[in-house]
Amino acid sequence: MNATAPNMTRADTSVATTNPSKLNLTLQVLGLRADGFHDLRSLVIGAGLSDRIECMRSDVPGVSVSCNDVELTGPANLACRAATRLAEHLGVDPDLHVDLEKFIPVAGGLAGGSGNAAATLRLCNRLWNGGLTDGELAELGAEIGSDVPLFFSLPAAVMTGRGERVERVSLAWRGWVLLACVDCAVSTSEVFAVWASADGGDSDTDSVERIVRARTAEQIMPCCFNDLEAAVFRVAPDVYRVANAIAGASLGPMRISGAGSTFYRLFDDQETAHRAASRIDELRMGLTTAVVPAPVGLV
Ligand code: C5P
């Protein structure tokens, strides 16, 4: 627990969990809507790079948050906003402290903040005996961010609409994901703002079905695509430079997740994934690598 957290009132008034990150294996942008959002179709899996969240009753009224990343300690934190929204919905006067330990990069396309919000909704529902179902929590979550509802349907799901319509799917594949995170926060709204319909050339409507049936990483990787990739490269030249370096080093296919700065590749075995991670480290481009299991869900 972070040293700045207020004292807990009772030992049994704390609940903790982890939330995974999300990877968009496919991301098709269907077009701009009248409300300013974009309609999407995306196959998403949970990956085992996780943040840890503890929600505890505090002796201070309201909702406070502590975090190993001090930039995230304000009320704009999505975990804070989720707890506040749930308290309002349940008619609870919150006296809550959220302690967040971040491992998922911020604005990296892995929906770490949205996962924190989803996990906080689950934890506070338990802490306050809210009795809400995951479906009801997902509906509240959609008010916090487009990527929040999907966490209630992982390990794997297809999201449509602006992301809030989610259908659980079951993948035949299980294995390992190599993540290579560029040290660069990419703004989702900026990426969508520069997205152009011509960017969607890669889209293949059969890909989702082929990935769901695939048994090996080698079968899945060629089906992965991201219509936002070109827009991310325009917004974040650092990410484009890394994409070129990866291509030049013959590291095999890597894609980026969502509107962020994280490259991924799937592997069937952990050892091969670690070998590929070492080759990424040898590029000396300041990338942070991780090898994690997938698909995984919210616990
Ligand atoms: O819902 P969320 O807060 O994650 O979205 C951040 C921004 O990304 C939105 O304000 C919007 O500009 C853009 N966005 C979009 N279409 C989506 C999801 C997000 O245009 N489906």
Side-chain angles (χ1 to χ4, degrees):
M1 195 178 92
N2 189 301
T4 60
N7 293 331
M8 280 172 48
T9 49
R10 290 202 310 270
D12 61 348
T13 52
S14 160
V15 279
T17 192
T18 58
N19 66 272
S21 33
K22 66 93 175 138
L23 278 187
N24 300 87
L25 296 187
T26 68
L27 203 173
Q28 187 174 14
V29 184
L30 300 167
L32 178 64
R33 307 172 357 163
D35 64 3
F37 282 86
H38 291 74
D39 271 321
L40 311 171
R41 184 170 186 247
S42 179
L43 172 59
V44 183
I45 61 169
L49 178 64
S50 304
D51 291 335
R52 183 181 181 278
I53 297 198
E54 186 170 359
C55 289
M56 60 201 98
R57 289 196 195 275
S58 126
D59 46 13
V60 180
V63 177
S64 57
V65 61
S66 51
C67 183
N68 57 340
D69 179 344
V70 286
E71 307 255 310
L72 300 179
T73 52
N77 187 303
L78 295 190
C80 239
R81 287 180 47 204
T84 304
R85 181 66 191 93
L86 180 63
E88 192 182 278
H89 181 84
L90 297 175
V92 166
D93 278 333
D95 51 352
L96 181 81
H97 183 77
V98 183
D99 185 54
L100 192 52
E101 202 177 353
K102 293 291 293 179
F103 298 98
I104 304 171
V106 176
L110 301 177
S114 298
N116 298 159
T120 302
L121 287 170
R122 271 246 181 109
L123 291 177
C124 290
N125 188 40
R126 215 187 297 162
L127 203 60
W128 297 331
N129 296 316
L132 298 189
T133 62
D134 272 355
E136 289 165 328
L137 294 175
E139 254 178 62
L140 282 182
E143 296 176 28
I144 310 294
S146 306
D147 282 344
V148 180
L150 76 92
F151 281 90
F152 296 98
S153 296
L154 294 178
V158 173
M159 57 192 234
T160 52
R162 70 175 167 90
E164 84 290 5
R165 288 209 299 269
V166 187
E167 192 189 329
R168 195 184 287 260
V169 293
S170 179
L171 256 57
W173 175 82
R174 295 197 66 75
W176 299 87
V177 180
L178 163 61
L179 298 170
C181 313
V182 184
D183 184 15
C184 153
V186 179
S187 151
T188 303
S189 47
E190 258 185 75
V191 169
F192 275 107
V194 306
W195 170 82
S197 48
D199 290 342
D202 271 1
S203 296
D204 172 352
T205 42
D206 290 342
S207 296
V208 170
E209 291 70 25
R210 284 193 280 143
I211 292 173
V212 166
R213 287 194 306 267
R215 300 205 161 266
T216 66
E218 215 169 299
Q219 289 167 343
I220 294 176
M221 279 314 295
C223 301
C224 296
F225 68 87
N226 182 351
D227 283 355
L228 291 176
E229 229 167 70
V232 170
F233 294 157
R234 285 199 285 278
V235 164
D238 283 353
V239 179
Y240 184 56
R241 270 192 288 279
V242 170
N244 282 334
I246 287 171
S250 310
L251 280 160
M254 291 195 83
R255 301 240 69 113
I256 61 171
S257 179
S261 48
T262 305
F263 290 81
Y264 70 83
R265 180 162 168 202
L266 309 187
F267 290 89
D268 295 326
D269 73 289
Q270 195 177 9
E271 206 186 306
T272 315
H274 278 293
R275 273 203 301 274
S278 305
R279 295 196 53 207
I280 298 250
D281 294 337
E282 283 161 16
L283 291 177
R284 303 209 177 282
M285 295 196 79
L287 298 167
T288 307
T289 54
V291 172
V292 295
V296 298
L298 198 61
V299 282

